[in-house]
Amino acid sequence: MVNGFNNHDDMVHSVCDGFINRVNDAVPNNIELLCNQDGYEILTDAFGNEFQKHDIENASIEQINSIAKELSEFLEKEVSLEEVCDFINGALKQSFGDYRSAQYKT
């Protein structure tokens, strides 16, 4: 078991799905929606291929900045650190129910 999932791949798939669901919910109608593969690329760039729940909950300012930068490029609009934390926390909530909120600290 990995964080309540049968295996690591199932956990990663769930987190990426939750992350992209939150992003797509916030995307204006005129921007193309992102898919789970986009979420996978963004999250593994920030947290590495073997990320776990605690890695996301404890995201550093550098990781949050990395996600904001990549999302801004994908969406062709500025994405704030606060929005990234909302997207991350949405993924944690969808995937695990019980979680510690990711927060950026400046």
Side-chain angles (χ1 to χ4, degrees):
M1 294 287 283
V2 178
N3 299 129
F5 290 87
N6 289 332
N7 58 54
H8 186 261
D9 288 343
D10 288 347
M11 189 266 314
V12 168
H13 177 76
S14 179
V15 171
C16 292
D17 181 64
F19 178 76
I20 287 303
N21 285 343
R22 286 299 282 217
V23 171
N24 285 336
D25 286 347
V27 170
N29 292 335
N30 62 340
I31 296 179
E32 185 176 329
L33 298 179
L34 302 178
C35 67
N36 283 6
Q37 181 62 35
D38 298 323
Y40 177 81
E41 291 174 17
I42 292 167
L43 294 177
T44 56
D45 281 351
F47 298 110
N49 291 333
E50 298 297 319
F51 70 82
Q52 301 288 325
K53 176 185 178 191
H54 63 86
D55 297 320
I56 301 166
E57 292 173 326
N58 296 300
S60 69
I61 190 68
E62 291 82 12
Q63 289 166 317
I64 294 169
N65 274 321
S66 169
I67 293 168
K69 182 179 178 195
E70 276 197 75
L71 272 177
S72 294
E73 290 173 9
F74 269 104
L75 300 174
E76 297 178 353
K77 77 175 211 65
E78 193 66 31
V79 175
S80 72
L81 301 182
E82 184 177 345
E83 288 174 304
V84 169
C85 288
D86 180 57
F87 301 151
I88 289 171
N89 291 329
L92 289 166
K93 182 176 182 179
Q94 177 180 309
S95 298
F96 306 106
D98 186 31
Y99 67 97
R100 190 177 71 76
S101 294
Q103 301 176 16
Y104 67 95
K105 299 162 191 78
T106 55

